[in-house]
């Protein structure tokens, strides 16, 4: 009998890509993808632990889904991804209907884990408690041993995972705990995947990793430059043998034909001149960089253990802008980190004004169990976090509006991703990652059009297609 899977994703782009991989592996095993949980034999939530809010949403959803089991005791419910690794058997306690818990490093085991649950049930009857499985102990995902199968919605832009895990120790962040050790995917596999995507019509790829700038540190076979010092030594002694992220960008630019390449996320500590030069020289690499600063205050940056200061961060931006003046920049910022004073906060607003990001994602600090920051008192009151959050959103709107207005009257290249919200409209993106809305026929989807910008808002550019 054909079985069906429903998978819902929370969290980051990495999780979205992981979900595609899971669907790929399972469809290769004969599963069908269900469009609603009510019609599925297996329901998986691919979860996020980065803030408490994301976790509460997934817990709530799984609670609702548990009811389905009363009618269909044969249903399999699974929590996969970051929450699985972080909470482990506590999930079984809070959600007794859950059958399967598998962490990010165990995603490639899912076809086997599901088959094992099935077998146990056939042998011993349906009782959840006895057929439960938990897989959370791998130190990293075996990126070179992905089971067959892939699943991507047809489209214009695709995600490509290039590395997994995180070896940093930012004090607020749960990711090193949930995603495990850094591991890089062999370059040849990445090139092969991008070439296949380009051949099937994709026009843009976004290279994904928790910190793509440390690509090449460790490969599944044990090779790699090992760490920042190893990287520096190779740069001095045998630069031609150093396979790091800037080199990967050059390989992709040279050996694939995909017109646009983006990447995320970059940790500022590992973003160097060598990266900026590769970005400038590779035609396919878009003029866009997401460089999370988190705070503008040196005191807070130190408490976050970010490894850079406001000054060294600003220096890097200046270096980058010198090489690529039209670069579009975005960032992540946390407000209300423990001990953040009004003065620290002012440092953040002044940094935002100084850099003038095209876009910024603002988050309210959320203590994560087991992190170093969680040992400190979460002492910025909720209202103050909210106020600072609102203030930064308003500030960024003002800056985005100014940044966007520079495009008025100019012609940009917009890669059309799909229809716009209204009938007859198209939605596209510039190389700088600005959303563009224009009128045009659906047949333009997938094309890179020249668009004259007629009007800008804080969030979108509006324009019209230039006569060819
Ligand atoms: N609280 C709030 N925001 C967080 N982020 C990471 N951990 C936390 C936390 N504990 C934010 C950071 C990161 C983004 C993905 O989420 O800004 O860059
Ligand atoms: Fe969430 Fe971070 Fe895990 Fe992505 S890596 S799912 S943002 S906790």
């Amino acid at each position: 009998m054909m079985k069906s899977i429903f998978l819902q994703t929370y969290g980051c782009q990495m999780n979205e890509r992981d979900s595609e991989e899971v669907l790929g592996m399972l469809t290769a095993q004969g599963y069908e993808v269900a469009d609603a949980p009510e019609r599925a034999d297996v329901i998986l939530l691919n979860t996020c632990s980065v803030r408490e809010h994301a976790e509460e949403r997934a817990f709530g959803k799984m609670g609702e889904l548990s009811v389905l089991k009363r009618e269909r005791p044969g249903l399999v419910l699974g929590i996969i991804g970051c929450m699985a690794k972080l909470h482990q058997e506590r999930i079984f306690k809070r959600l007794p209907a859950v059958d399967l818990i598998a962490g990010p490093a165990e995603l490639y085991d899912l076809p086997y884990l599901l088959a094992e649950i099935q077998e146990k049930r056939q042998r011993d009857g349906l009782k959840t408690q006895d057929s439960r499985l938990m897989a959370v102990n791998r130190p990293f995902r075996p990126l070179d041993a992905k089971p067959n199968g892939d699943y991507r919605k047809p489209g214009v832009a695709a995600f490509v995972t290039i590395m997994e895990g995180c070896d940093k120790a930012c004090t607020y962040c749960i990711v090193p705990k949930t995603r495990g050790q850094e591991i890089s995917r062999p370059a040849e596999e990445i090139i092969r995947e991008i070439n296949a995507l380009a051949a099937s019509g994709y026009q843009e790829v976004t290279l994904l990793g928790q910190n793509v700038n440390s690509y090449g540190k460790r490969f599944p076979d044990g090779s790699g430059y090992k760490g920042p010092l190893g990287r520096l030594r190779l740069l001095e002694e045998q630069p031609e043998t150093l396979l790091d992220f800037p080199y990967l960008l050059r390989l992709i630019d040279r050996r694939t034909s995909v017109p646009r390449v983006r990447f995320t996320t970059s940790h500022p500590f590992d973003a160097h001149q060598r990266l900026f030069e590769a970005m400038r020289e590779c035609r396919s690499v878009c003029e866009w960089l997401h460089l999370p600063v988190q705070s503008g205050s040196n005191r807070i940056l130190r408490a976050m253990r970010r490894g850079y200061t406001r000054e060294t961060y600003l220096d890097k931006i200046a270096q980058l802008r010198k090489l690529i003046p039209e670069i579009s920049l975005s960032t992540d910022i946390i407000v209300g980190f423990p001990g953040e004073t009004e003065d620290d906060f002012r440092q953040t607003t002044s940094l935002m004004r100084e850099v003038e990001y095209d876009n910024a994602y603002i988050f309210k600090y959320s203590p994560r169990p087991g992190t170093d920051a969680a040992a400190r008192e979460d002492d910025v009151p909720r209202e103050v976090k909210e106020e600072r959050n609102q203030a930064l959103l308003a500030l960024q709107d003002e800056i985005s509006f100014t940044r966007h207005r520079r495009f008025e009257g100019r012609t940009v290249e917009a890669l059309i991703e799909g229809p716009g919200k209204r009938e007859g409209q198209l939605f596209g993106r510039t190389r700088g990652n600005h959303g563009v809305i224009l009128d045009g026929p659906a047949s333009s989807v997938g094309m890179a059009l020249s668009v004259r910008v007629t009007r800008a808002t804080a969030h979108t550019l509006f324009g019209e297609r230039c006569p060819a």
Side-chain angles (χ1 to χ4, degrees):
M1 194 191 73
M2 185 85 122
K3 291 161 58 66
S4 60
I5 161 95
F6 179 82
L7 173 53
Q8 183 162 330
T9 309
Y10 298 84
C12 60
Q13 295 166 319
M14 189 66 132
N15 255 22
E16 281 177 39
R17 176 62 195 141
D18 285 348
S19 288
E20 292 178 343
E21 294 205 279
V22 168
L23 289 180
M25 293 180 294
L26 295 180
T27 48
Q29 301 279 312
Y31 279 83
E32 210 176 302
V33 178
D35 54 3
E38 290 75 17
R39 283 189 281 281
D41 305 306
V42 175
I43 301 175
L44 301 177
L45 301 186
N46 190 9
T47 58
C48 172
S49 290
V50 77
R51 283 170 291 275
E52 193 181 352
H53 179 68
E55 294 197 331
E56 286 311 320
R57 278 173 49 220
F59 272 129
K61 183 72 186 182
M62 193 44 104
E64 275 170 36
L65 292 169
S66 299
V67 180
L68 295 174
K69 256 190 151 173
R70 282 195 212 134
E71 305 255 299
R72 292 193 291 139
L75 185 64
V76 174
L77 298 179
I79 294 271
I80 63 173
C82 289
M83 281 172 70
K85 175 73 176 180
L86 183 63
H87 296 297
Q88 307 193 358
E89 59 277 329
R90 285 199 298 273
I91 296 175
F92 288 142
K93 292 220 179 72
R94 182 155 166 190
L95 297 162
V98 168
D99 304 282
L100 172 67
I101 296 175
E106 286 79 13
L107 288 192
Y108 292 172
D109 303 326
L110 279 174
Y112 315 104
L113 295 167
L114 288 170
E116 201 177 325
I117 292 181
Q118 217 55 45
E119 251 171 56
K120 277 193 177 180
R121 286 186 175 182
Q122 269 160 9
R123 213 174 45 223
D124 310 326
L126 283 174
K127 277 215 299 310
T128 290
Q129 267 78 352
D130 304 324
S131 57
R132 266 179 182 170
L133 279 184
M134 181 168 81
V136 290
N137 288 327
R138 283 189 187 276
F140 53 83
R141 191 185 303 174
L143 277 190
D144 56 342
K146 186 167 106 71
N148 284 337
D150 206 348
Y151 181 94
R152 275 189 171 98
K153 288 200 199 84
V156 176
F159 292 137
V160 174
T161 300
I162 65 160
M163 54 89 66
E164 239 285 293
C166 182
D167 288 353
K168 298 247 178 267
C170 306
T171 54
Y172 52 82
C173 189
I174 199 68
V175 174
K177 266 202 188 57
T178 61
R179 284 204 177 254
Q181 275 176 32
E182 257 173 47
I183 189 86
S184 297
R185 210 174 147 207
E188 288 306 319
E189 280 180 34
I190 297 170
I191 303 274
R192 213 177 304 128
E193 182 171 341
I194 296 176
N195 272 324
L197 288 168
S200 52
Y202 287 90
Q203 303 291 315
E204 180 178 305
V205 295
T206 302
L207 311 176
L208 294 181
Q210 262 67 44
N211 175 19
V212 292
N213 296 124
S214 65
Y215 176 82
K217 185 172 159 187
R218 194 188 306 114
F219 290 104
D221 67 1
S223 65
Y225 59 76
K226 306 294 187 259
L229 289 178
R231 186 180 163 281
L232 278 181
R233 183 151 33 85
L234 280 179
L235 255 187
E236 271 169 27
E237 293 166 11
Q238 296 168 286
E240 68 289 350
T241 67
L242 175 60
L243 174 51
D244 62 352
F245 184 63
Y247 189 73
L248 179 70
L249 284 180
R250 291 179 191 272
L251 280 180
I252 292 171
D253 192 59
R254 203 174 331 128
R255 295 188 36 211
T256 78
S257 58
V258 71
R260 285 184 176 191
V261 176
R262 304 183 189 284
F263 52 87
T264 194
T265 291
S266 289
H267 192 300
F269 180 85
D270 302 297
H272 304 286
Q273 180 78 6
R274 183 168 146 98
L275 170 70
F276 308 150
E277 283 166 4
M279 289 175 74
R280 184 178 64 169
E281 284 158 34
C282 295
R283 258 202 54 75
S284 59
V285 176
C286 289
E287 295 71 33
W288 173 74
L289 183 65
H290 183 63
L291 201 64
V293 68
Q294 312 297 359
S295 168
S297 151
N298 282 335
R299 219 173 59 84
I300 297 295
L301 287 171
R302 199 172 334 110
M304 290 177 163
R305 208 182 290 132
R306 288 290 285 175
Y308 54 84
T309 61
R310 173 194 179 94
E311 291 75 24
T312 55
Y313 180 91
L314 289 172
D315 276 351
K316 290 193 186 202
I317 300 258
Q319 268 175 29
L320 171 59
R321 281 199 160 135
K322 209 160 143 202
L323 286 178
I324 312 176
E326 72 278 28
I327 190 86
S328 153
L329 293 167
S330 63
T331 200
D332 291 343
I333 288 172
I334 297 176
V335 293
F337 186 83
E340 185 186 67
T341 62
E342 276 302 319
D343 184 59
D344 294 318
F345 178 66
R346 266 194 298 275
Q347 299 282 321
T348 299
T349 53
S350 91
L351 179 130
M352 284 171 73
R353 285 186 198 281
E354 195 166 336
V355 176
E356 295 197 303
Y357 296 102
D358 287 79
N359 196 2
Y361 301 89
I362 319 289
F363 304 102
K364 287 177 273 185
Y365 171 70
S366 165
R368 305 286 55 224
T371 57
D372 286 352
R376 296 180 55 180
E377 192 196 342
D378 181 14
D379 59 355
V380 178
R382 185 198 296 255
E383 313 79 68
V384 176
K385 280 184 192 166
E386 187 54 41
E387 245 168 58
R388 291 179 184 171
N389 184 39
Q390 290 304 327
L392 293 193
L393 288 173
L395 171 60
Q396 185 54 45
D397 268 9
E398 184 193 314
I399 296 171
S400 296
F401 184 48
T402 322
R403 290 285 293 168
H404 280 174
R405 284 189 59 185
R406 77 189 192 278
F407 290 110
E408 284 180 351
R410 277 169 54 184
T411 298
V412 296
E413 177 197 282
L415 174 59
I416 306 303
E417 292 183 0
K421 284 203 189 99
R422 277 201 249 124
E423 182 79 30
Q425 273 185 344
L426 298 171
F427 177 82
R429 268 177 203 288
T430 66
R431 288 174 59 95
N433 217 13
H434 306 93
V436 182
I437 291 176
L438 66 153
D439 288 337
S443 56
S444 305
V445 172
M447 292 190 204
L449 301 181
S450 289
V451 175
R452 206 180 68 86
V453 178
T454 49
R455 185 164 71 85
T457 68
H459 301 281
T460 323
L461 304 177
F462 293 86
E464 52 198 24
R465 186 171 178 182
C466 296

